[in-house]
């Protein structure tokens, strides 16, 4: 895969992101949804939830980190790329520039990854401040990094195939929203009925939630890491092919 020219694409997105960081409304919006989940489920309903593994809040925070990093990595790229392609027509200029499809893909994905990591870092900071038993682990860092990269790749795919900005919301409702609630973010997957369990294990976020809560490297951790690697590779190849074959 030829990655020539990725840095100008990445730099452009980072300059746009820098403008958003200067707005208080963006910081508030990035923290609001996970903070609401943390208060409602963690400090509210979570008081009545008892897990064999320990405190529910310590279980919930890594799941919210996974969900927040997924949502922000995916939605920024999917929405911005679709708008640039369908409405502003700036993506066509990018394609005609001396930049390879792999370079465009990598630049967009790394930009989405940075935005996802920013949102995740805000939530990790809240978790460390609000709950003493929550700690950073190598598995949490690894799973968050790979999760951001994986869903940024998926965001490129949706941004390329969606025919309008409204259609990206449809993909969000059928892909991102179900994964947010049924992939082990709010409850352990071993409590899911057997009929649904195998279907849920097909969700990429399910494997992120498994890996992100691990404290030692065992067989389930290896399986989830391999599954995330396969999903990432598939999304990366498909997204690059869509950019390479783009002809609007």
């Amino acid at each position: 895969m030829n990655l020539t020219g990725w840095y100008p694409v990445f730099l452009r997105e980072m300059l746009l992101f820098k403008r958003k960081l200067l707005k208080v409304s963006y910081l508030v919006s990035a923290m609001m949804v996970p903070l609401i989940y943390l208060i409602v489920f963690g400090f509210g309903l979570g008081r009545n939830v008892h897990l064999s593994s320990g405190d529910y809040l310590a279980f919930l925070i890594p799941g919210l980190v996974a969900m927040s990093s997924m949502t922000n990595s995916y939605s920024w790229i999917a929405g911005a790329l679709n708008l640039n392609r369908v409405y502003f027509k700036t993506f066509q200029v990018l394609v005609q520039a001396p930049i390879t499809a792999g370079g465009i893909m990598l630049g967009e994905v790394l930009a989405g990854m940075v935005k996802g990591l920013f949102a995740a870092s805000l939530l990790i900071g809240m978790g460390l401040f609000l709950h003493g038993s929550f700690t950073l682990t190598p598995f949490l860092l690894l799973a968050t990094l790979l999760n951001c990269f994986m869903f940024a790749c998926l965001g490129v795919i949706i941004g390329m195939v969606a025919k309008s900005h409204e259609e990206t919301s449809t993909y969000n409702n059928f892909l991102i929203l179900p994964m947010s609630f049924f992939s082990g973010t709010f409850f352990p997957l071993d409590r899911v009925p057997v009929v649904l369990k195998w279907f849920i294990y097909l969700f990429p976020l399910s494997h992120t939630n498994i890996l992100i809560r691990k404290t030692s490297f065992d067989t389930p951790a290896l399986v989830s890491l391999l599954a995330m690697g396969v999903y990432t590779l598939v999304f990366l190849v498909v997204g690059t092919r869509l950019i390479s074959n783009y002809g609007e």
Side-chain angles (χ1 to χ4, degrees):
M1 183 183 294
N2 192 339
L3 304 178
T4 303
W6 67 271
Y7 183 70
V9 179
F10 173 76
L11 180 60
R12 174 185 179 275
E13 295 296 330
M14 287 298 96
L15 291 174
L16 294 174
F17 184 51
K18 181 180 177 181
R19 293 182 182 179
K20 283 187 173 291
L21 285 178
L22 298 178
K23 300 179 180 179
V24 178
S25 58
Y26 176 78
L27 294 175
V28 173
S29 64
M31 297 176 62
M32 186 58 64
V33 173
L35 182 60
I36 290 174
Y37 284 138
L38 189 62
I39 294 173
V40 172
F41 288 96
F43 296 104
L45 298 176
R47 295 181 182 274
N48 301 317
V49 178
H50 302 283
L51 300 177
S52 59
S53 58
D55 184 21
Y56 177 70
L57 192 58
F59 172 87
L60 177 64
I61 293 174
L64 292 178
V65 170
M67 185 183 72
S68 180
S69 61
M70 170 191 71
T71 303
N72 284 274
S73 297
Y74 164 86
S75 60
W76 178 285
I77 296 301
L81 184 59
N82 183 261
L83 285 173
N84 292 337
R85 181 176 63 84
V86 177
Y87 296 103
F88 300 134
K89 305 298 181 181
T90 55
F91 183 75
Q92 287 80 343
V93 177
L94 188 64
V95 171
Q96 295 178 33
I99 304 174
T100 63
I104 296 174
M105 180 72 184
L106 183 60
E108 295 284 357
V109 167
L110 290 179
M113 186 178 179
V114 169
K115 294 155 191 171
L117 289 174
F118 173 76
S121 66
L122 293 178
L123 191 51
I124 290 172
M126 286 190 291
L128 293 172
F129 176 76
L130 296 174
H131 194 62
S133 63
F134 172 70
T135 57
L136 290 176
T137 66
F139 291 99
L140 188 144
L141 297 175
L142 174 62
T144 303
L145 287 169
L146 189 54
N147 194 57
C148 290
F149 193 90
M150 176 172 60
F151 281 102
C153 291
L154 181 61
V156 172
I157 295 175
I158 301 304
M160 292 298 298
V161 301
K163 303 301 181 183
S164 65
H165 188 60
E166 291 75 14
E167 192 173 322
T168 60
S169 300
T170 303
Y171 285 103
N172 183 77
N173 292 336
F174 281 98
L175 293 174
I176 302 302
L177 189 60
M179 279 192 285
S180 298
F181 288 94
F182 296 112
S183 295
T185 300
F186 300 101
F187 52 84
L189 291 177
D190 56 11
R191 297 189 177 185
V192 178
V194 178
V195 178
L196 298 176
K197 185 175 292 186
W198 293 108
F199 178 73
I200 290 176
Y201 277 124
L202 294 176
F203 291 154
L205 189 65
S206 298
H207 297 283
T208 302
N209 277 319
I210 292 172
L211 185 63
I212 204 170
R213 294 187 174 103
K214 289 293 181 181
T215 56
S216 61
F217 195 73
D218 53 12
T219 301
L222 176 60
V223 171
S224 293
L225 181 60
L226 291 175
M228 293 178 69
V230 170
Y231 275 116
T232 301
L233 181 60
V234 171
F235 293 158
L236 184 64
V237 171
V238 172
T240 305
R241 288 289 182 88
L242 288 172
I243 295 173
S244 178
N245 297 330
Y246 178 74
E248 285 182 325

